[in-house]
């Protein structure tokens, strides 16, 4: 249905509860379960962004906010009996004390992420922190997500790295035995940490994996933006490209646009030779200053198979222009090369006169797009580079 809806059972961790409203941002009618992406607000008119609450003036420095109800989904979830069907999503926020003034990280994941059966699968959970804090990722507990006790039971063989990379081998030769149309729940906590590794706050990320037809691979992103900083008063252009092995150009969509105002966020689509180009124009308004967003992008092929990937945006109140992109001069893109390989780039320039530094990423995954899926492989001085690569 459409319109803004009243939701109950929102607890502020101080004994107070509130009714909140949700606004539908996007709807995915192609899935077996009709999924929607929503935004929460204090009132039905959404005159202000997000939720606000005033705490009593006492010595408490942090609170655990939660939202709970029953039940998770109407379909069978393979690991739900091990975890529970009731749901509880909780987050820790700081009011006073050591971390007073800290901003929690933000994240966004599609409600359902599709996995081609009989494959080795990887998915990067993305998050962004307005303060630039170091982020870490861990599985949630049953108490944090399911209103019960114990450790979360993830699919057998599924792993989560501290940097948010999920890997799962669901080939018939190993990992978890799966069946097409199986659903599996995943629950993750993302925390921001101080310089000593202490957890300042955390936020919940809760979604499902759906196993799909082993004969139909997902589309591929051939161009995808990195995490970016955009200054107030400027306009940023993001370009995304995607192809599919069927030869038919896939459809690209944004699941959670930061704004429904076309003067702030707008996008256009074009296709050529089986490739889709999706161009986003983003001109943040003043209320977005010093906040972060994580944007979910989806590419869907003609058979309904999807590829999901996200990127983070920090909206800065400090005016700063992007440097120009370095341009690979040799070897040419997709050239066949022999060892040793000599790379030559045209350097970047910066209109503000800032010092420009470089990071080079090397990945052995032919589907690599962006550094997020190649975490931990940035090239530093030394290694097999002659002369040693450095910034």
């Amino acid at each position: 249905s459409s319109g803004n809806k009243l939701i109950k059972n929102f607890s502020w961790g101080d004994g107070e509860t509130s009714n909140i409203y949700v606004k539908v941002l996007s709807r995915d009618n192609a899935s077996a379960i009709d999924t929607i992406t929503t935004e929460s607000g204090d009132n039905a008119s959404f005159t202000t962004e997000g939720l606000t609450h005033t705490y009593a003036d006492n010595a408490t420095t942090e609170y655990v906010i939660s939202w709970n109800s029953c039940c998770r989904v109407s379909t069978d979830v393979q690991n739900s009996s091990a975890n529970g069907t009731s749901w509880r999503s909780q987050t820790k926020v700081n009011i006073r004390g050591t971390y007073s003034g800290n901003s929690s990280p933000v994240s966004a994941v599609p409600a359902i992420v599709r996995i081609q059966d009989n494959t080795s699968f990887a998915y990067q959970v993305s998050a962004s922190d307005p303060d630039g804090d170091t982020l870490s990722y861990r599985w949630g507990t049953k108490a944090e997500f399911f209103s019960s006790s114990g450790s979360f039971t993830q699919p057998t063989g599924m792993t989560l790295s501290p940097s948010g990379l999920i890997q799962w081998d669901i080939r018939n030769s190993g990992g978890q035995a799966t069946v097409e149309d199986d659903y599996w729940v995943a629950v993750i906590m993302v925390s921001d940490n101080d310089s000593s590794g202490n957890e300042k706050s955390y936020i919940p990320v809760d979604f499902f994996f759906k196993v799909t037809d082993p004969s139909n691979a997902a589309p591929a992103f051939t161009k995808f933006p990195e995490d970016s900083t955009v200054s107030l008063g400027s306009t940023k252009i993001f370009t995304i490209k995607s192809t599919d092995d069927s030869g038919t150009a896939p459809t690209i969509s944004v699941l959670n646009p930061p704004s429904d105002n076309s003067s702030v966020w707008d996008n256009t689509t074009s296709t050529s030779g089986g490739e889709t180009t999706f161009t986003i124009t983003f001109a943040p308004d003043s209320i977005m200053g010093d906040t972060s967003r994580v944007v979910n992008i989806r590419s869907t092929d003609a058979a309904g198979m999807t590829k999901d990937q996200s990127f983070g945006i920090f909206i800065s109140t400090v005016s700063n222009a992007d440097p120009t992109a370095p341009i690979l001069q040799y070897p040419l893109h997709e050239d066949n090369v022999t060892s040793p390989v000599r790379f030559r780039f045209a350097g970047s320039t910066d209109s503000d006169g800032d010092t420009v530094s470089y990071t080079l990423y090397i990945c052995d995954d032919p589907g690599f797009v962006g550094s997020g899926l190649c975490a931990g492989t940035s090239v530093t001085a030394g290694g097999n580079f002659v002369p040693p690569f450095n910034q």
Side-chain angles (χ1 to χ4, degrees):
S1 60
S2 59
N4 302 333
K5 302 300 177 185
L6 175 65
I7 304 294
K8 299 182 178 181
N9 299 324
F10 194 92
S11 171
W12 293 101
D14 59 354
E16 298 291 331
T17 59
S18 291
N19 293 335
I20 65 173
Y21 293 83
V22 294
K23 176 174 63 175
V24 174
L25 298 178
S26 66
R27 178 183 293 275
D28 178 13
N29 289 302
S31 61
I33 297 179
D34 194 11
T35 63
I36 59 175
T37 302
T38 65
E39 175 187 353
S40 300
D42 285 320
N43 53 75
S45 61
F46 280 78
T47 53
T48 58
E49 188 177 57
L51 308 172
T52 59
H53 179 68
T54 300
Y55 288 93
D57 187 11
N58 55 42
T60 304
T61 61
E62 63 183 38
Y63 294 87
V64 174
I65 297 172
S66 62
W67 187 17
N68 63 281
S69 188
C70 177
C71 293
R72 303 185 64 79
V73 292
S74 59
T75 191
D76 289 335
V77 179
Q78 300 305 309
N79 56 336
S80 67
S81 60
N83 292 301
T85 56
S86 297
W87 56 268
R88 170 188 169 90
S89 292
Q90 70 178 49
T91 182
K92 183 174 76 172
V93 298
N94 308 287
I95 304 300
R96 307 173 184 88
T98 303
Y99 303 129
S100 176
N102 176 66
S103 296
S104 299
V106 298
S107 183
V109 176
I112 298 173
V113 175
R114 290 169 175 79
I115 305 176
Q116 182 187 11
D117 198 4
N118 200 27
T119 62
S120 183
F121 173 82
Y123 179 76
Q124 177 66 47
V125 179
S126 296
S128 179
D129 187 82
D131 303 325
D133 293 330
T134 300
L135 301 181
S136 62
Y137 301 74
R138 63 171 173 82
W139 294 120
T141 67
K142 291 182 182 179
E144 292 168 333
F145 284 91
F146 299 95
S147 297
S148 59
S149 60
S151 300
F152 166 62
T153 304
Q154 70 267 27
T156 302
M158 180 179 285
T159 61
L160 171 68
S161 76
S163 61
L165 180 63
I166 295 176
Q167 295 179 293
W168 191 22
D169 185 352
I170 60 170
R171 292 172 295 186
N172 293 334
S173 59
Q176 173 74 55
T178 58
V179 177
E180 189 177 340
D181 290 332
D182 274 356
Y183 284 85
W184 302 82
V185 65
V187 293
I188 295 169
M189 280 296 186
V190 184
S191 62
D192 56 339
N193 307 313
D194 65 18
S195 58
S196 299
N198 298 313
E199 183 181 77
K200 294 183 179 182
S201 63
Y202 56 73
I203 59 167
V205 179
D206 183 357
F207 60 103
F208 296 91
F209 288 110
K210 180 185 179 183
V211 180
T212 64
D213 184 357
S215 65
N216 182 31
F221 288 113
T222 55
K223 183 178 179 65
F224 201 86
E226 296 286 344
D227 292 351
S228 301
T229 296
V230 182
S231 297
L232 290 180
S234 67
T235 299
K236 178 79 170 182
I237 305 296
F238 299 100
T239 301
I240 300 166
K241 295 185 178 183
S242 182
T243 60
D244 186 65
D245 59 4
S246 67
T248 300
T251 300
I252 300 177
S253 56
V254 183
L255 301 188
N256 58 333
S259 175
D260 54 10
N261 184 340
S262 61
S263 66
V264 174
W265 180 277
D266 201 10
N267 50 258
T268 59
T269 300
S270 63
T271 59
S272 177
E275 182 175 61
T276 300
T277 299
F278 191 79
T279 303
I280 297 169
T281 303
F282 180 44
D285 58 27
S286 58
I287 65 171
M288 296 180 173
D290 291 328
T291 65
S292 288
R293 301 288 195 279
V294 173
V295 182
N296 294 324
I297 305 296
R298 170 168 289 177
S299 180
T300 307
D301 69 14
M305 182 58 177
T306 58
K307 171 73 173 181
D308 294 297
Q309 196 162 327
S310 305
F311 66 97
I313 305 173
F314 173 67
I315 297 97
S316 174
T317 56
V318 178
S319 178
N320 182 53
D322 292 339
T324 62
I327 299 173
L328 179 63
Q329 296 179 325
Y330 179 85
L332 297 178
H333 180 56
E334 295 187 343
D335 262 4
N336 292 319
V337 296
T338 57
S339 180
V341 183
R342 181 183 299 272
F343 294 92
R344 182 182 299 117
F345 291 87
S348 299
T349 59
D350 187 80
S351 61
D352 299 320
D354 297 329
T355 300
V356 177
S357 61
Y358 304 85
T359 305
L360 179 64
Y361 292 90
I362 302 297
C363 189
D364 58 7
D365 179 0
F368 162 64
V369 177
S371 60
L373 295 182
C374 208
T377 58
S378 60
V379 178
T380 56
N384 294 320
F385 286 80
V386 181
F389 178 84
N390 55 63
Q391 292 188 341

